[in-house]
Amino acid sequence: MDLLRELLHGEMNSSTVLLYPDEQAIKLAADALRRGKVVAFPTETVYGLGADAFNPAAVTAVFAAKKRPRFDPLIVHIADYAMLEAVAALQALGARTTLDKLIQNLWPGPLTVILPKQPSVPDIVTAGLSTVAVRVPSHPVAQKLIRLSTGAIAAPSANLFGRLSPTRAEHVVQSLNGAADYIIDDGKTGIGLESTVLDLCSCKPCILRPGGTAQEQIEALIGPVLRGYDPQTISSPGQLKNHYAPTKPLHTSSLEQIPYHTDAAYLFFDGKSRESWCAGKPAIAKTLVLSESGSLSEAAANLFVLLHELDAETVPVIYAQLAPEKGLGIAINDRLKRASTQA
Ligand code: AMP
Ligand code: MG
């Protein structure tokens, strides 16, 4: 907490107000959203930088704060299913079975669905597309904030465009340097990876971005889905090859192919890999492990925290071991590859 206040006052000569999430503070932040202000808030995935989704000027301020290109649409966060029809034109979707199954089983949670847009959602939110990305976060602070606001918050991650996502309020302070009016601090986020983005407007459901909901979970409910996030076949405006990047060069590979340099920093997937790779090698500048035991959910929760930590080291380069390519490992590898210099 103290560190955060120091950062806030040391690095930012701004009017950003830091809040801790009690009733009164959340009410204050929700009122600010209603007045067109920009509020960084915790969700179970990463910290979001929110504006009232129905207020184009406020949403414009979010794009400006992040230096995010206008062609990259935002996710609209709602508190529950009841608000869905206010932002999505469900009658234009056709059959509802797929959507209903997903909503009943995976909301609230780290799943964003792309649906036909209601005219009430301003074009700036959707980058002029006829579709809108919608999610119901499960984080209690996000839930309360949305309910006390107009009921729909447009929010990308609370970091500069293209940079590492924030999983702690400190990351928000460091990355945005005063561009938010308020930051609600509720510690480290639980999942640590952005939501999975699933397009329900194409002829077959298609994952545009892997994330906190594994493809296997989705397919168990609705059958096989397509993957549109292959770096060769980018189909979502925000699916840029280089994204989520540290300021230092980062290289990813399998354990066997990681090169050895005494002055580099290393990020291993699990404790065993670090042990076997380091065996017999002289001292290395810095090594970190995503999950000692090799748990994919723990690795996901630590990913951005550890990348932030390595990025702050005085090393010229970071090498990261890829995770097993299954479950959340697919999203972890997607972020690592897009953070990497050779992506
Ligand atoms: P972010 O808010 O940075 O976590 O990114 C949200 C992701 O959802 C980006 O990759 C966007 O391009 C994607 N997205 C948002 N709205 C749409 C949409 N209407 N159609 C396709 N992708 C979208
Ligand atoms: Mg982002």
Side-chain angles (χ1 to χ4, degrees), residues 44-250:
E44 72 277 22
T45 59
V46 302
Y47 276 74
L49 187 66
D52 175 6
F54 302 116
N55 181 338
V59 174
T60 306
V62 167
F63 277 90
K66 274 184 67 84
K67 302 192 169 57
R68 181 173 171 120
R70 296 282 184 92
F71 61 74
D72 194 1
L74 306 186
I75 294 172
V76 175
H77 295 70
I78 56 175
D80 56 35
Y81 177 77
M83 191 66 190
L84 186 58
E85 291 201 54
V87 294
L90 298 182
Q91 72 285 357
L93 187 63
R96 285 275 297 273
T97 338
T98 302
L99 175 66
D100 288 343
K101 275 191 196 159
L102 292 168
I103 286 176
Q104 277 158 21
N105 293 280
L106 298 174
W107 273 6
L111 175 70
T112 295
V113 289
I114 307 290
L115 297 167
K117 164 180 121 57
Q118 284 288 15
S120 57
V121 178
D123 282 342
I124 177 119
V125 173
T126 61
L129 296 172
S130 58
T131 53
V132 61
V134 192
R135 176 167 110 78
V136 174
S138 63
H139 196 292
V141 175
Q143 275 278 333
K144 197 164 274 179
L145 184 68
I146 298 167
R147 283 179 201 282
L148 293 173
S149 72
T150 60
I153 301 179
S157 50
N159 55 291
L160 279 184
F161 181 72
R163 290 290 165 206
L164 291 173
S165 293
T167 49
R168 290 183 185 278
E170 287 88 329
H171 300 157
V172 181
V173 173
Q174 282 158 345
S175 187
L176 291 181
N177 199 26
D181 295 303
Y182 294 88
I183 299 175
I184 307 177
D185 176 19
D186 196 33
K188 185 179 165 188
T189 62
I191 292 174
L193 277 181
E194 297 83 351
S195 59
T196 299
V197 178
L198 181 70
D199 187 359
L200 294 180
C201 293
S202 47
C203 21
K204 205 167 178 198
C206 179
I207 294 182
L208 300 181
R209 174 178 74 182
T213 301
Q215 181 170 342
E216 293 88 330
Q217 278 175 282
I218 295 172
E219 291 188 328
L221 294 167
I222 62 168
V225 297
L226 303 173
R227 286 186 189 187
Y229 61 84
D230 185 319
Q232 304 308 315
T233 57
I234 295 163
S235 54
S236 174
Q239 299 293 295
L240 300 175
K241 277 190 189 176
N242 289 93
H243 214 68
Y244 313 109
T247 56
K248 303 247 156 67
L250 178 132

